[in-house]
């Protein structure tokens, strides 16, 4: 059986994954040569699996490493891959693989059957037919047999249905719906359609120890360049607001500009909180004293949170407890990596924006 399916049996059954080097257990996947999944059987980490990335079969080592970083942010995962010399997978590929390995999904589009599996299935069918011919009782039982189907098969049915003829109707309906929404008056409470047309908001910490402030956030998000914080030379804008421009075909025009603030005293209406798409914290709870939800455990269930830290710096325990994404940046000598790190951050932010109604509409 393909090792990736044995791996899934272990991950869904909560069995341990053990790594070995020359027969001895090890925690270093870079040096390990074999792995076992809750049994005595060992699989070579450099063995090709039926998991495909960009139409290329991937080594068992890369698949296991991806699973080991299931809970890591995409930036942390890619940095770990770089440090260990292991190929990394894009965000969507990583998400689908780990979802399948966890048992939350019954299928993964990147896992394909090999020829051996197909031949084994054919052999099993031949054996079943032979057994029915030799045993008359089987023929009688077969009359009352019903084939079981999973929920995917049941929903799809037995025939492929082509919906091309409905595309024009769907486009016409979508166009009518847009015109209908644009003709409605804005709601008084600032929510719904009215809110989605106003600029989204990111809140950052006003702490002087924060790596990102209103003084350097524009260079960071607009120019993909991290400027080391310097209180003596960097000044906070008097308005208390910085506007970030980020044009993307995935986002509606209203989200091509994003407001960044470090003070919520200006949030005089409930609608402002409807526009918040992310909160960047330093891990200090006092930051949330005047927020809509002052308890961080509740706050970060409602709004996505981010923590910015240097590589190799210790992340405070509460950051993990609060379910906050960690974004690591390099110190001065590795500024060339900023673009990759901030690109991945924007991928995450765009997904959040689309989920909050700021996606582009056709």
């Amino acid at each position: 059986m393909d090792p990736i399916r044995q791996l899934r049996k272990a991950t869904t059954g909560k069995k341990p994954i053990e790594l070995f080097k020359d027969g001895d257990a090890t925690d270093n996947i870079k040096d390990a040569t074999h792995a076992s999944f809750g049994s005595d059987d060992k699989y070579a980490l450099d063995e090709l699996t039926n998991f495909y990335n960009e139409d290329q079969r991937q080594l068992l080592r890369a698949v296991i490493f991806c699973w080991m970083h299931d809970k890591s942010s995409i930036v942390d995962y890619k940095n770990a891959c770089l440090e260990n010399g292991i190929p990394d997978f894009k965000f969507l590929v990583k998400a689908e693989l780990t979802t399948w390995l966890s048992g939350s999904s019954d299928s993964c589009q990147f896992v394909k059957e090999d020829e051996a599996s197909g031949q084994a299935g054919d052999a099993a069918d031949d054996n079943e037919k032979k057994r029915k011919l030799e045993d008359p009782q089987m023929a009688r039982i077969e009359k009352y047999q019903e084939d079981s189907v999973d929920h995917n098969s049941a929903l799809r049915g037995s025939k492929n249905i082509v919906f091309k003829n409905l595309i024009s109707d769907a486009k016409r309906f979508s166009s009518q719906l847009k015109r209908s929404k644009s003709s409605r008056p804005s709601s008084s409470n600032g929510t719904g359609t009215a809110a989605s047309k106003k600029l989204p908001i990111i809140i950052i910490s006003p702490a002087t120890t924060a790596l990102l402030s209103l003084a350097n956030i524009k260079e960071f998000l607009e120019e993909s360049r991290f400027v080391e914080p310097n209180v003596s030379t960097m000044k906070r804008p008097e308005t208390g607001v910085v506007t970030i421009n980020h044009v993307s075909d995935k986002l509606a025009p209203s989200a091509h500009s994003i407001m960044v603030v470090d003070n919520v005293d200006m949030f005089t209406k409930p609608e402002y909180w409807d526009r918040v798409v992310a909160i960047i914290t330093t891990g200090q709870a006092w930051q949330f004293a005047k927020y809509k939800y002052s308890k961080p455990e509740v706050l970060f269930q409602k709004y996505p949170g981010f923590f910015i830290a240097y590589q190799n710096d210790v992340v405070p325990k509460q950051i993990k407890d609060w379910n906050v994404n960690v974004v690591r940046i390099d110190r001065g000598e590795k500024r060339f990596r900023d673009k990759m790190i901030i690109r991945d951050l924007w991928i995450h932010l765009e997904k959040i924006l689309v989920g909050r109604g700021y996606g582009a509409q056709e």
Side-chain angles (χ1 to χ4, degrees):
M1 179 179 289
D2 178 50
I4 195 174
R5 298 193 179 277
Q6 290 294 87
L7 174 62
R8 186 173 187 267
K9 283 187 177 181
T11 54
T12 55
K14 309 298 182 184
K15 295 179 180 179
I17 298 173
E18 297 179 285
L19 303 174
F20 299 90
K21 179 184 178 182
D22 300 329
D24 297 324
T26 179
D27 293 329
N28 190 341
I29 193 170
K30 183 178 181 180
D31 297 330
T33 57
H34 291 77
S36 67
F37 317 132
S39 68
D40 295 333
D41 296 331
K42 294 180 181 179
Y43 299 88
L45 290 175
D46 290 331
E47 179 180 352
L48 289 172
T49 70
N50 286 339
F51 178 77
Y52 286 73
N53 182 37
E54 297 180 350
D55 296 326
Q56 296 293 325
R57 295 178 68 183
Q58 298 300 305
L59 297 179
L60 180 60
R61 189 188 306 273
V63 173
I64 291 178
F65 195 69
C66 181
W67 169 251
M68 292 169 67
H69 286 77
D70 176 30
K71 304 300 181 183
S72 302
S73 69
I74 190 65
V75 175
D76 286 347
Y77 162 67
K78 289 194 173 186
N79 287 335
C81 287
L82 191 64
E83 291 172 5
N84 289 276
I86 296 175
D88 63 88
F89 304 144
K90 293 182 180 179
F91 176 78
L92 292 178
V93 178
K94 175 180 180 289
E96 181 151 347
L97 173 61
T98 53
T99 300
W100 180 71
L101 287 175
S102 69
S104 300
S105 173
D106 294 332
S107 61
C108 175
Q109 64 173 311
F110 304 107
V111 176
K112 302 178 182 179
E113 294 288 347
D114 58 13
E115 294 180 1
S117 299
Q119 291 171 358
D122 293 340
D125 291 341
D126 291 340
N127 289 335
E128 181 67 17
K129 291 177 181 178
K130 182 177 180 182
R131 191 158 62 91
K132 289 177 180 178
L133 291 173
E134 293 175 351
D135 187 355
Q137 283 291 96
M138 289 298 296
R140 185 180 64 84
I141 295 173
E142 189 181 22
K143 293 180 180 179
Y144 303 97
Q145 178 179 317
E146 291 186 5
D147 293 331
S148 61
V149 295
D150 58 22
H151 69 283
N152 287 329
S153 300
L155 290 173
R156 292 191 182 106
S158 58
K159 296 181 178 180
N160 290 326
I161 301 176
V162 179
F163 293 99
K164 290 183 178 179
N165 61 315
L166 299 179
I167 292 178
S168 58
D169 291 340
K171 287 183 177 179
R172 184 170 59 254
F173 175 76
S174 176
S175 177
Q176 292 173 350
L177 186 62
K178 289 177 185 177
R179 287 197 297 270
S180 174
K181 286 184 177 181
S182 62
S183 63
R184 295 177 188 171
S186 300
S187 57
S188 59
N189 61 5
T191 60
T193 303
S196 67
K197 292 182 179 179
K198 296 181 180 179
L199 301 187
I201 298 172
I202 294 176
I203 307 176
I204 64 175
S205 173
T208 56
T209 57
L211 294 184
L212 287 182
S213 67
L214 292 183
N216 65 354
I217 189 72
K218 195 171 184 70
E219 288 88 346
F220 188 72
L221 291 179
E222 264 193 25
E223 301 175 15
S224 298
R225 178 171 56 92
F226 174 69
V227 178
E228 299 280 350
N230 189 324
V231 178
S232 61
T233 59
M234 300 171 65
K235 294 184 179 180
R236 177 180 181 273
E238 294 182 1
T239 59
V241 179
V242 171
T243 302
I244 304 298
N245 296 311
H246 177 74
V247 178
S248 171
D249 56 6
K250 296 179 181 179
L251 303 176
S254 58
H256 290 176
S257 296
I258 301 174
M259 293 174 55
V260 181
V261 301
D262 64 359
N263 188 343
V264 297
D265 287 343
M266 62 181 70
F267 285 20
T268 55
K269 297 179 182 179
E271 67 139 301
Y272 286 103
W273 285 104
D274 295 332
R275 294 159 54 189
V276 173
V277 295
I279 297 173
I280 300 177
T281 179
T282 56
Q284 299 166 305
W286 59 260
Q287 175 184 349
F288 319 121
K290 296 182 179 181
Y291 283 21
K292 184 177 181 179
Y293 305 96
S294 59
K295 293 183 178 180
E297 296 85 358
V298 178
L299 178 70
F300 292 114
Q301 293 295 325
K302 307 291 184 181
Y303 302 97
F306 294 87
F307 176 81
I308 313 298
Y310 284 123
Q311 291 287 358
N312 302 322
D313 278 3
V314 177
V315 176
K317 180 181 180 299
Q318 65 268 28
I319 292 298
K320 297 179 181 179
D321 295 339
W322 294 348
N323 190 32
V324 170
N325 299 284
V326 177
V327 177
R328 291 194 178 274
I329 55 179
D330 296 286
R331 296 186 184 272
E333 66 274 11
K334 293 185 178 180
R335 287 277 65 83
F336 64 91
R337 285 171 48 80
D338 286 353
K339 289 186 180 295
M340 181 191 75
I341 294 168
I342 298 169
R343 179 199 63 195
D344 289 339
L345 175 59
W346 271 117
I347 291 174
H348 197 164
L349 288 172
E350 286 181 355
K351 184 177 180 182
I352 294 170
L353 286 161
V354 171
R356 293 188 172 255
Y358 287 98
Q361 297 182 6
E362 296 181 358

